[in-house]
Amino acid sequence: MSLLDYFRSSKPSSASLAKERLQILVAHERVSRNQPSYIPKLQQELLTVIQKYVNVGQDAISINYEQDDNQEMLELNITLPDESEQNN
Amino acid sequence: MARIIVVTSGKGGVGKTTTSAAIAMGLAKKGHKTAVIDFDVGLRNLDLIMGCERRVIYDLINVINGEASLRQALIKDKRCNQLFILPASQTRDKDALTKEGIGKILEELAKDFKYIVCDSPAGIERGANLAMYFADDAFVVTNPEIASVRDSDRMLGILASKSRRSENDEEAIKEYLLLTRYSPKRVKIGEMLSVEDVQDILSLHLLGVIPESKSVLNASNSGTPVILNEESNAGQAYADVVARYLGEDKPHRFIDEEKKGLFRKIFGSK
């Protein structure tokens, strides 16, 4: 039995793998569940405005929403392209 | 005051109807007048699990449309005179299921019944949303399996935001975890998420663990809620769940592998 256990412990059990995957997934889904429903639309419209002036791709903008007891924070991150790309 | 319980899960096939039938029977057997409602319009099955499929004359939609009274539609259980079943419609259009209609039915039932158990369909469509909308308590039925746990978490989000209680800023729905189809043996060898694993993720109050058991299929085959099989693990586990819900202090069972004697090892267990 102890020999069997030794071989078993050499790789993680499928249950612990499941737990790990679930923890990451559930945490991610809870964040997006709690954010205001206007976020995706806001993201899309901001992108349209930015694209009028700068040639950026669809994934150039990321919005992060965080909330704790006394404040809400909206973090907006725009990645501008390299200058060499801009000149093209 | 009647208490409205929704039995929900998101994912299908995890044991919502089995659970609804068992706890409704359990509550009724404890002397509380109980109604159990099938919200799965189009795919009703509670009548089969309760063993009253041949006694269905009117259904939920008939009552909503005013084609039958609630008294006409409620089927009195033959084994327990405190238990009544309101079946779902088999054929009608789902659009007939309205918030106003359900609200009226629940209000009328609340005058006469102590507990109203709402058996939710799978998914997050109208039937599922309405089954939980008016609830006071939610039994979240979960299998120790990745898709079921994820869907349960999703349902918790909906319970918290799309219910009468949340819309009226009342005290939130009380949520309980019911872990079903649990196999201590597979947990032990690391093939199945454990009770602690699931609780770590969902952070819910554990109402009970129902072990994987042959008696569940046998019970549905014969149309007898499994809680009536007092010899089976699953039946006993559901009885514990009902007792705990009613405030009794019962230690959790069936979480660890039972030690089999030589006799049972040879001749198998129930």
Side-chain angles (χ1 to χ4, degrees), chain B residues 20-36:
Chain B
S20 300
I23 60 161
M25 178 61 84
L27 289 166
K29 277 188 67 186
K30 289 257 187 185
H32 304 292
K33 197 169 179 189
T34 303
V36 55

Side-chain angles (χ1 to χ4, degrees), chain B residues 7 24 28 38 49 74 81-82 85 101 103 107 114 132 136 147 150 152 178 190 213 224 234 236 238 242:
Chain B
V7 177
D38 190 347
I49 305 299
L74 283 170
N81 61 10
Q82 295 288 75
I85 300 118
E107 202 179 306
K114 185 77 203 297
M132 69 169 60
D136 301 305
R150 178 203 210 170
S152 291
L178 212 72
S213 167
T224 317
Q236 291 174 20
Y238 274 119
V242 171

Side-chain angles (χ1 to χ4, degrees), chain A residues 8 13-16 18-19 21-23 25-26 29-30 33, chain B residues 146 149-150 153-154 157 189-193 197 200-202:
Chain A
R8 265 199 203 115
S13 69
S14 67
S16 59
K19 188 181 181 186
R21 290 174 62 208
L22 269 171
Q23 278 172 325
L25 181 72
V26 164
E29 287 181 343
R30 279 182 193 158
R33 185 194 300 160
Chain B
I146 198 159
V149 175
R150 178 203 210 170
D153 189 67
R154 187 85 202 278
I189 56 174
E191 284 183 358
M192 186 182 267
L193 291 165
D197 290 341
D200 275 356
I201 292 159
L202 296 179

Side-chain angles (χ1 to χ4, degrees), chain B:
Chain B
M1 262 300 269
R3 201 86 191 154
I4 302 174
I5 304 168
V6 62
V7 177
T8 185
S9 72
K11 191 174 178 297
V14 298
K16 282 183 297 296
T17 302
T18 299
T19 298
S20 300
I23 60 161
M25 178 61 84
L27 289 166
K29 277 188 67 186
K30 289 257 187 185
H32 304 292
K33 197 169 179 189
T34 303
V36 55
I37 308 175
D38 190 347
F39 275 79
D40 204 345
V41 170
L43 290 168
R44 76 160 174 243
N45 278 320
L46 180 69
D47 54 337
L48 276 175
I49 305 299
M50 295 296 305
C52 64
E53 69 277 9
R54 292 175 61 176
R55 296 168 63 208
V56 176
I57 300 167
Y58 296 112
D59 58 53
L60 184 62
I61 301 292
N62 289 135
V63 180
I64 291 176
N65 290 343
E67 295 151 358
S69 70
L70 199 49
R71 276 180 54 146
Q72 287 176 305
L74 283 170
I75 302 169
K76 188 173 181 174
D77 190 84
K78 287 196 165 163
R79 294 149 299 204
C80 180
N81 61 10
Q82 295 288 75
L83 180 60
F84 292 79
I85 300 118
L86 183 55
S89 155
Q90 186 66 295
T91 52
R92 304 289 190 85
D93 184 12
K94 279 187 190 181
D95 291 342
L97 206 60
T98 60
K99 197 181 273 182
E100 295 70 35
I102 298 295
K104 260 191 183 160
I105 288 179
L106 291 175
E107 202 179 306
E108 205 179 325
L109 284 172
K111 291 179 195 157
D112 198 22
F113 286 84
K114 185 77 203 297
Y115 292 102
I116 302 165
V117 178
C118 301
D119 181 22
S120 170
I124 47 175
E125 303 293 309
R126 184 190 294 220
N129 285 328
L130 279 176
M132 69 169 60
Y133 184 78
F134 296 96
D136 301 305
D137 300 310
F139 288 12
V140 181
V141 182
T142 307
N143 288 169
E145 176 267 323
I146 198 159
S148 173
V149 175
R150 178 203 210 170
D151 287 0
S152 291
D153 189 67
R154 187 85 202 278
M155 295 321 278
L156 293 176
I158 298 175
L159 280 165
S161 61
K162 288 184 184 163
S163 70
R164 177 174 62 172
R165 282 173 173 267
S166 67
E167 283 177 10
N168 296 346
D169 271 327
E170 290 170 35
E171 193 189 336
I173 295 174
K174 280 209 181 71
E175 299 155 344
Y176 301 95
L177 174 65
L178 212 72
L179 203 56
T180 55
R181 307 199 68 165
Y182 196 72
S183 168
K185 199 175 164 188
R186 302 194 71 186
V187 171
K188 199 177 168 195
I189 56 174
E191 284 183 358
M192 186 182 267
L193 291 165
S194 70
V195 184
E196 294 79 29
D197 290 341
V198 177
Q199 273 189 292
D200 275 356
I201 292 159
L202 296 179
S203 328
L204 278 181
H205 178 76
L206 180 69
L207 200 55
V209 176
I210 315 296
E212 173 80 65
S213 167
K214 288 177 185 169
S215 58
V216 172
L217 183 56
N218 282 328
S220 63
N221 284 343
S222 61
T224 317
V226 69
I227 198 168
L228 293 175
N229 183 350
E230 287 163 12
E231 273 157 35
S232 75
N233 284 355
Q236 291 174 20
Y238 274 119
D240 285 1
V241 163
V242 171
R244 274 185 214 111
Y245 175 70
L246 293 173
E248 285 177 48
D249 188 21
K250 291 254 181 194
H252 286 285
R253 297 194 275 170
F254 314 112
I255 291 178
D256 297 313
E257 202 176 355
E258 62 177 313
K259 290 184 179 66
K260 282 183 188 172
L262 185 62
F263 182 83
R264 293 191 62 190
K265 262 189 185 158
I266 296 168
F267 296 102
S269 62
K270 284 186 187 172

